[in-house]
Amino acid sequence: MDVQTVTFSKCFGTLGGAVAGPYHVIHYLRHSARSALFSASLPPACTAAALAALDIIRTEPERRRVVMATAERLRSGLVALGFAIAPGGTPTVSLRVGDRLTCCRFWAGLLEEGVLANVMLPPAVPDGEALIRLSVTAAHTGGQVDRILAAVATVAGRLGLLADA
């Protein structure tokens, strides 16, 4: 692999990212890539947060196991509700809802139920494939995952998205 990219906004809980690779590639990107030419460096606080997160990832590997098990519990629960959920690999679980309006109603309903989620709308996803993204952390408890699943069931039922609704 010649070049490796990493985002700091997902697993590191901050913003920005990094590109690692051979000197000539990084030099080229630094001086030729439009997105790099017109951007500022990361704020020191974001850099410190990414470094601290990396240190935690290295020294506390059990957190990775816990967050992945928690995400799998959420995925399994959503499948049990009747949703087609893509296989795991990340602590973010995407729920395909369909059209924009239904997705926004779903998001608002989850928020009313006390669940903070994100929406992915076109053009970030194809038309008709709007998503709700649920993210878990190593700090989420089984009870909290159950609460998320109950909220999803309630809102999906209200919107007629469940097969038996």
Side-chain angles (χ1 to χ4, degrees):
M1 187 175 309
D2 294 325
V3 177
Q4 180 73 42
T5 62
V6 63
T7 176
F8 295 163
S9 64
K10 303 286 187 286
C11 64
F12 289 179
T14 184
L15 60 87
V19 179
Y23 174 81
H24 69 279
V25 173
I26 302 304
H27 182 78
Y28 175 80
L29 290 174
R30 199 175 272 151
H31 297 285
S32 301
R34 292 178 58 82
S35 60
L37 286 175
F38 302 108
S39 66
S41 61
L42 286 177
C46 293
T47 304
L51 287 171
L54 187 58
D55 186 51
I56 290 169
I57 290 167
R58 276 194 213 125
T59 60
E60 301 177 34
E62 67 279 1
R63 289 182 188 248
R64 290 176 76 190
R65 288 188 290 277
V66 169
V67 74
M68 296 311 290
T70 303
E72 188 51 42
R73 178 179 176 146
L74 179 59
R75 268 186 200 84
S76 297
L78 292 168
V79 168
L81 288 173
F83 288 97
I85 304 296
T90 73
T92 300
V93 181
S94 295
L95 243 163
R96 189 170 315 282
V97 176
D99 67 85
R100 294 174 195 229
L101 183 57
T102 303
C103 192
C104 289
R105 286 181 174 153
F106 200 127
W107 172 83
L110 288 175
L111 194 58
E112 288 172 9
E113 294 290 325
V115 174
L116 180 61
N118 293 303
V119 294
M120 296 289 291
L121 302 172
V125 295
D127 278 328
E129 296 185 25
L131 302 172
I132 295 288
R133 294 181 79 196
L134 300 162
S135 298
V136 294
T137 71
H140 278 100
T141 65
Q144 289 169 325
V145 172
D146 292 344
R147 188 167 179 280
I148 293 167
L149 290 167
V152 167
T154 297
V155 176
R158 271 198 312 248
L159 295 174
L161 297 177
L162 298 179
D164 58 355

